[in-house]
Amino acid sequence: MDKNFIKFNNKPILIFKVNDTIAVIDNDDPTGIKQELYDIASVYFVTNKLIDHDSYKQPKVKPLYPHYPVNIVLLYCRIFGLGLFRYLKFKDMAQQIYILLRRPLYIQYKKSFKKDNFIFFSSNIWKKEPETNQIRAEFIRFCKTDTRITFKGGFIPRSDGDNYGFGKELNNEKYSPKMFSKLSAKSKVALNNPAVCGAVSWRLAEYLNQGLFVLSFPFKIELPHKLEQGSVVYFIEETVEFKKVIDTIVDNPNEHELIAEKGKSYFDTYCTPMAQAKYIYNSVLVK
């Protein structure tokens, strides 16, 4: 651990050095790069490289492939060791370890694309993202009313009691991260809705790994390899298209399996930890 970067401890920022080259991985919400880190880095990777944000158009900024959080508590402790006690307050360290332990361990899922007409979708109601809330609510309503679908999930009630009028879409059952992943893996369709500030949901990578049919709204971010319509995910523009998509995949299982299989292949090629590490390492070395 380098004391020059103490203020970034336990932040969604990774600062590391390959040989004498400093690189940064910014996993924060896409509100702009950290300019002081950009200035010292040779490469500045971002999880959500917004297409229309000037801050991300700077030449050293590179996009990352989709990825998602997993339990790395042993790796976390092994890398930083006693430095955790030197640079972090005990409460902060304990909270971070608790968060890591609740996540599922990383596995590379086996290929399995045949699914029952079961859909699991559960999410929070976000205070500052009304568009996302509306998309999620309409998906929940559709799944509940379509008699072909066995649905599980709904909105998690907000702790402040203000559920923004989505009372009929609420689900009082909460799911641990491990149970969430288990139920998601059984789902016929995984909805990838717009996330905070235009980010792509971090669930996207997990859905691809699980070999799911991903239904998505257009991305606002750049990926190292652009995803085309119907190749890795199935893109729609409006919520009224939910029915058309479900009609298609229920009546034509082959199309469902084709897109799910391409999504899994994309993950296995570009998004595994080893594939991401190679992409990052090679990008740092290229002058």
Side-chain angles (χ1 to χ4, degrees):
M1 298 176 74
D2 190 320
K3 64 182 181 181
N4 293 314
F5 303 107
I6 286 177
K7 69 178 181 179
F8 296 105
N9 285 351
N10 265 12
K11 302 294 184 182
I13 303 285
L14 179 64
I15 306 160
F16 64 101
K17 183 182 288 186
V18 178
N19 298 330
D20 293 323
T21 301
I22 294 177
V24 173
I25 295 177
D26 187 339
N27 201 45
D28 208 348
D29 292 336
T31 55
I33 67 167
K34 312 296 185 288
Q35 194 63 44
E36 62 181 292
L37 294 180
Y38 178 88
D39 291 340
I40 65 169
S42 294
V43 188
Y44 191 102
F45 299 97
V46 289
T47 293
N48 289 289
K49 187 175 184 288
L50 289 179
I51 297 171
D52 296 327
H53 195 300
D54 288 341
S55 179
Y56 297 112
K57 294 179 181 179
Q58 299 182 75
K60 292 188 289 185
V61 178
K62 282 184 171 289
L64 290 175
Y65 290 99
H67 50 277
Y68 62 99
V70 294
N71 181 352
I72 57 162
V73 69
L74 294 179
L75 178 63
Y76 179 71
C77 293
R78 189 165 70 243
I79 288 176
F80 297 111
L82 295 177
L84 292 172
F85 295 95
R86 292 178 58 197
Y87 293 109
L88 298 177
K89 295 179 180 178
F90 178 79
K91 181 179 178 181
D92 293 337
M93 182 186 68
Q95 182 183 36
Q96 185 67 23
I97 290 176
Y98 171 74
I99 291 171
L100 292 174
L101 284 173
R102 293 184 71 243
R103 295 173 178 167
L105 294 171
Y106 173 76
I107 60 172
Q108 196 162 349
Y109 286 85
K110 296 180 180 179
K111 296 180 179 180
S112 176
F113 309 116
K114 295 184 183 296
K115 307 288 183 182
D116 296 329
N117 290 343
F118 168 79
I119 293 179
F120 169 71
F121 182 79
S122 179
S123 67
N124 295 318
I125 302 171
W126 287 341
K127 186 175 182 179
K128 297 181 180 180
E129 300 291 338
E131 178 187 6
T132 297
N133 290 338
Q134 193 60 40
I135 288 172
R136 289 170 167 176
E138 292 189 32
F139 186 70
I140 292 168
R141 290 187 206 116
F142 174 81
C143 291
K144 282 185 172 182
T145 56
D146 192 312
T147 57
R148 298 169 295 179
I149 296 172
T150 301
F151 179 73
K152 186 176 182 65
F155 278 133
I156 302 300
R158 287 176 56 85
S159 58
D160 61 8
D162 185 359
N163 294 310
Y164 294 89
F166 295 118
K168 293 182 179 180
E169 290 74 42
L170 293 181
N171 174 29
N172 291 323
E173 185 175 356
K174 292 185 178 181
Y175 309 96
S176 69
K178 294 177 183 178
M179 179 55 67
F180 196 107
S181 294
K182 184 177 180 180
L183 291 170
S184 294
K186 299 178 179 179
S187 195
K188 184 90 169 181
V189 174
L191 176 66
N192 177 59
N193 54 254
V196 175
C197 301
V200 167
S201 170
W202 56 263
R203 289 282 177 194
L204 171 63
E206 186 174 25
Y207 294 152
L208 295 174
N209 187 12
Q210 291 170 336
L212 303 184
F213 178 99
V214 177
L215 176 62
S216 180
F217 285 79
F219 292 171
K220 298 180 181 179
I221 69 164
E222 177 186 331
L223 295 176
H225 283 80
K226 186 177 180 181
L227 303 185
E228 302 294 343
Q229 167 67 291
S231 58
V232 176
V233 299
Y234 191 102
F235 287 108
I236 60 173
E237 297 280 349
E238 300 178 9
T239 57
V240 293
E241 298 178 69
F242 287 151
K243 184 179 186 305
K244 182 185 74 172
V245 175
I246 299 300
D247 287 346
T248 299
I249 64 175
V250 169
D251 296 338
N252 187 2
N254 289 336
E255 182 168 350
H256 171 272
E257 291 181 33
L258 180 62
I259 291 179
E261 185 174 7
K262 287 182 178 178
K264 174 62 172 166
S265 177
Y266 182 90
F267 182 90
D268 290 348
T269 302
Y270 301 114
C271 305
T272 65
M274 183 58 71
Q276 299 260 24
K278 286 182 178 179
Y279 166 71
I280 291 167
Y281 183 75
N282 291 335
S283 298
V284 171
L285 292 182
V286 172
K287 301 298 183 180

